[in-house]
Amino acid sequence: MAELLKLLKDGNKPSLMAACVNAFLGIIKGIAFFFTGNVAMFAEMMHSLGDAANQLFVYIGSALSKKAPTKQFPGGFGRIVNLVCLFAVIIVAILSYETIKEGWHHFIHPTGESSGILIALGVLFIGIVLEGTVLAKAAAEVLHESGQEKAGIASIPKAFTYLNRAKPATKLVFMEDLVATGGNFLAFAAILIAYFTGWGRIEGLVSMIIGVMMFYVVGKVFLDNARGVIGETDEEMLNHIAHLVMDDPNIKDIVRLEVIKEGEFLHVELVAEADPFLSLAFLDDVRDHLTEVILSQKGVSKVAILFDEDDGKTSWIHVGEKPSNSI
């Protein structure tokens, strides 16, 4: 239990914050739906509750992924966060389906004007403020994890450029809260339009749009984390590490270099060619130096280096391209 609590302290903080905010919003939106019968509010309630459950799972998964490797699992537990994200999107997919179904039913069979417009608008305004705050913090975290400077309000559009370099949990929070903030705006607008024009079907239409937006997040998150579970190469870091390795005067060539994403971390495996006349003791010092350099790179948690004798040929012609004589 003590180990679990210690791990939870290191969990992804934006995920925990987003889970708490969405749970609160889900409850007040549920109360508002009970009193108003507004189907757009129902869609937002389902959206918030789905996001809360999703992000809670992600927070726990991100914490457990930091557990130290064991004899039984020497590769560590980094991919747990990807597995948890895959499980979490199932919940969102179910809620997305229910949201679209309810919206379609309301669009085909409108129930008339919803009551309690001020309650609905007040709750949605609270949602816009809170979701927008979480989105801004998630954007700032994306920039931080990508090694970029925060840019105030501009952090949100700037985060799109560096989203693929963020940790899986942070990326999920950013995407979900982006959709959530947009959903709150759409629901707010739908209620106003329905009230002033009398076209109640728009609430059902907006409910379906919100459901489709949720499905987009499901698809995007599923594909990203499926690649993570299988084991995906970080091409950008692979190129960077290859440059660092080839800059060492004792390295003649790279036979094989792999930089695999393990959840929030990177594992590096390197087979390099060196002068066959160098002593074992000297090569051991070279390995120690390269290991220290590679481990100092952002996100790298494990390095394995092997040496092969130089064959006089250059295999690693283009950095990032796998050599022809890879083993």
Side-chain angles (χ1 to χ4, degrees):
M1 181 61 72
E3 182 184 9
L4 177 60
L5 292 175
K6 184 178 179 181
L7 288 171
L8 288 175
K9 289 181 180 178
D10 295 327
N12 186 270
K13 298 302 187 296
S15 296
L16 179 60
M17 178 182 178
C20 294
V21 167
N22 278 294
F24 170 73
L25 289 175
I27 292 171
I28 64 172
K29 286 175 182 177
I31 295 171
F33 170 68
F34 177 79
F35 284 108
T36 66
N38 188 286
V39 72
M41 185 62 68
F42 172 82
E44 275 302 299
M45 176 193 72
M46 298 291 275
H47 192 174
S48 294
L49 291 177
D51 283 353
N54 203 353
Q55 289 154 350
L56 179 61
F57 279 125
V58 170
Y59 169 70
I60 295 172
S62 68
L64 295 179
S65 70
K66 294 179 173 63
K67 181 177 171 61
T70 63
K71 289 184 179 179
Q72 187 176 4
F73 301 101
F77 299 84
R79 298 189 191 186
I80 283 182
V81 67
N82 300 114
L83 288 171
V84 170
C85 285
L86 287 177
F87 176 75
V89 296
I90 296 174
I91 299 174
V92 181
I94 294 171
L95 295 178
S96 302
Y97 168 75
E98 291 296 330
T99 300
I100 293 174
K101 185 176 75 172
E102 185 68 20
W104 175 252
H105 177 75
H106 186 83
F107 185 78
I108 298 298
H109 305 289
T111 57
E113 185 178 339
S114 302
S115 59
I117 182 174
L118 293 180
I119 296 175
L121 292 178
V123 168
L124 288 172
F125 179 76
I126 293 172
I128 290 170
V129 172
L130 293 181
E131 295 281 15
T133 301
V134 175
L135 177 62
K137 289 186 177 296
E141 190 67 17
V142 168
L143 296 179
H144 172 72
E145 292 173 0
S146 305
Q148 304 297 316
E149 293 292 331
K150 296 179 183 179
I153 275 211
S155 292
I156 295 175
K158 186 179 179 181
F160 284 99
T161 306
Y162 304 98
L163 193 57
N164 287 332
R165 293 168 59 182
K167 295 176 181 178
T170 305
K171 186 190 299 184
L172 176 64
V173 172
F174 179 83
M175 289 183 60
E176 287 193 335
D177 277 286
L178 179 66
V179 172
T181 305
N184 279 310
F185 271 112
L186 285 175
F188 194 95
I191 292 172
L192 286 177
I193 292 172
Y195 179 77
F196 287 110
T197 67
W199 188 43
R201 291 177 188 268
I202 192 172
E203 294 178 3
L205 178 62
V206 164
S207 179
M208 289 188 287
I209 292 173
I210 292 171
V212 170
M213 290 165 64
M214 292 166 69
F215 262 124
Y216 171 77
V217 173
V218 167
K220 179 66 174 173
V221 171
F222 177 84
L223 291 175
D224 285 350
N225 287 280
R227 290 196 296 267
V229 168
I230 295 170
E232 182 182 14
T233 297
D234 188 320
E235 293 288 351
E236 183 178 353
M237 188 59 78
L238 184 145
N239 292 339
H240 177 62
I241 291 176
H243 277 297
L244 294 176
V245 172
M246 293 302 291
D247 283 344
D248 191 303
N250 300 296
I251 301 300
K252 303 301 182 183
D253 195 10
I254 294 175
V255 179
R256 176 165 62 88
L257 175 60
E258 294 181 357
V259 182
I260 305 298
K261 294 179 182 179
E262 295 285 346
E264 299 179 358
F265 306 104
L266 298 173
H267 288 188
V268 179
E269 293 185 10
L270 168 68
V271 179
E273 290 184 358
D275 191 329
F277 298 104
L278 295 176
S279 68
L280 184 61
F282 185 83
L283 286 176
D284 189 54
D285 290 339
V286 173
R287 178 190 289 111
D288 290 343
H289 171 69
L290 285 175
T291 299
E292 182 180 356
V293 170
I294 295 173
L295 280 174
S296 68
Q297 306 308 303
K298 188 174 183 64
V300 178
S301 64
K302 185 177 180 180
V303 178
I305 301 176
L306 296 175
F307 290 112
D308 196 4
E309 64 177 296
D310 181 21
D311 59 5
K313 300 177 182 178
T314 302
S315 301
W316 199 266
I317 298 174
H318 181 270
V319 176
E321 179 182 345
K322 289 192 176 181
S324 57
N325 65 333
S326 60
I327 60 174

